[in-house]
Amino acid sequence: MRRPSQPWFFVSLVTMAIAISYFDRQALPVAISAVERTISISDAQFALLQAAFLVTYALLYAGGGKFLDAIGTRTGFAISMTWWSLACALHGLAHGLGLLVLGRLLLGMGEGAAFPAATRVIAEWLPATKRATAMGIINAGTAVGSVLAPPVIGLIILMGSWRYIFFFAGTLGLAWAVGWMVMYRLPAEPTLSATEESATIPWLSLLSSSKVLGMVTAKFLSDSAWFFCLFWLPKYLYDARGYDIKHVSYFAWIPYAASGLGSFLGGWFSSYLLRNGHSLNLSRKLALGLSAALMPAVILVPHVPVSLALLLFSIAFFGQQSWSGLIMTLPTDVFPLSSVGSVAGLIGFGGAMGGAIFNLIAGQLLSHGAGYGTLFAIVGSLHAIAFCILLLTSGVLQAPGSNLVPERGKLISS
C-alpha cells in the first residue's frame, strides 16, 4: 500500500533538486562582480555565457524528456543531476572565458532533464486534482535556490575565493543524486488508468498538435522575459543601481522569495478551483491569466527608486513563477504518462530557446547604447502575448481519456 505521505516526500526531493539547479545556474550571475576581477567579461560576453547555458538547456530539455520517457524517472534524474553537478564544479577551474563557456554548455545539458523529470514524478504519483499544487511546490524550488544564492555566494566570496562556490554546489548535487537513487521508487498503485499509461503519441503528432505548439510558443515568450530577469537582475543592480556584492547579498534575494510564493499560490489556487467543482479548463486558464497580468509591473522598474524597483521585481517574479508552474502542469493534465516527458521537454525547449535568443539580443542592445528601460518594456509585455496565444491554440483542456482519439492504432492529440 502506498502511504499518503510518500508522494509528497518525493515531491520534496524533487523540489530540493530544482533548488540546487537554480543555485547552480545563478552562481555565475551573482558572483560575476568577483569573477570579473580575475576574468574580463563584457556585457556581450556575459550574454554569451547565459546563452551558452540556455541553448544546450533547450536541446536537452526536449531530448531529456524523450530520454526520461525511455529510461525512466529514477535513473534518468540521477544521471542528469550527476552531469550538471560536475559541470558546475568545472566553472571553478576556469582562468579564461573559454572554460566558462564550456562549463555553461555542459551545465545546460545536465539541467535540461530536471523539469521533465519533475513532471513525470507528478504524473506517476499524483492525481490531476493535486498536480498543480505539487508543481507549484516544485517550482518554488527555483526560488529556494535563487534566494539562497546571493547570501551564500556573498559569504563564500567574503571568506575565500569565488571558485569555492562552484565546488560547493557540485558536491551538493552529487550527494543528492546518491540519495535519489537510494530512495525513489515507482508507486505500487498507479495513479493513471491503463489507457492513459500505455497510450503513445508519436513525435510527429506532438509537433503537429496545436496544443503542443501553443504551449511551446507561450513558453518561448514568457521564458524570454524570465531568463532575462533571472540572469540580469544582479548585474542590473551592480551596473545601474551601484550595488556591491554586500548589497546584492542583502537585497537581491527578495524578488526570488516572491517568486517562490507565486509558485506555490498559483498551483494552490488552480487546484482549489478544480477541487471545488470547476472544470480543468477554467481552473488552469484563470490562474494562468491572473499570473500573466502581474508581469507588466517590471516595465516601471527603471523609473522608480531602487526600493520600489525591488517591490516591482517581486510582483513580476510572483506572477512569472505562478505562470511557470501552471504551464508545466498542463502536459500532465492533457497527455498520457508515456508522452508527458516528451511534451514537457518540447515546452521547456521553447522556453530555453526564447531565453537564449533574448539574452543575446539584450547583450547587443546594452553594448550598443540601449538602456535597461527598453529591455524592461519588452519583458513586461511578453506574458500577455503568451497568454493570448495559449487561449487561441489550447482549445478546451480535458483529461487524456477525453482529448485523445484513436487514429491508425495510435492516440493523437485532437
Side-chain angles (χ1 to χ4, degrees), residues 8 122 126-140 258-276 280 282-291 318-330 332-333:
W8 298 105
I122 289 172
L126 293 167
T129 55
K130 298 179 179 178
R131 288 175 188 164
T133 299
M135 182 55 80
I137 293 171
I138 289 171
N139 205 45
S259 74
L261 191 61
S263 294
F264 175 75
L265 289 180
W268 172 85
F269 176 64
S270 182
S271 291
Y272 171 81
L273 292 175
L274 197 56
R275 287 195 304 270
N276 282 271
L280 178 68
L282 175 67
S283 299
R284 299 297 189 241
K285 289 181 179 177
L286 178 58
L288 280 163
L290 292 173
S291 301
F318 180 101
Q320 150 60 32
Q321 287 304 85
S322 173
W323 163 279
S324 181
L326 289 162
I327 201 168
M328 291 308 298
T329 305
L330 295 182
T332 72
D333 290 328

Side-chain angles (χ1 to χ4, degrees), residues 192-205:
L192 299 177
S193 69
T195 301
E196 290 175 284
E197 228 178 344
S198 61
T200 299
I201 305 176
W203 262 54
L204 288 178
S205 296

Side-chain angles (χ1 to χ4, degrees), residues 157-181:
I157 290 173
L158 292 173
M159 292 179 63
S161 169
W162 61 265
R163 301 180 187 279
Y164 299 156
I165 297 163
F166 299 101
F167 301 147
F168 166 78
T171 301
L172 195 63
L174 292 174
W176 183 93
V178 172
W180 176 257
M181 284 299 292

Side-chain angles (χ1 to χ4, degrees), residues 9 26 38 48 63 77 102-103 116 162-163 170-171 175 192 206 217 223 254 287 307 311 335 353 375 377 404 413:
F9 172 71
Q26 277 296 89
T38 306
L48 174 64
F77 208 166
L102 177 61
W162 61 265
R163 301 180 187 279
T171 301
L192 299 177
L206 290 177
T217 304
D223 273 13
I254 296 172
S307 57
L311 174 62
F335 292 95
M353 286 304 297
L375 293 169
L404 298 175
S413 180

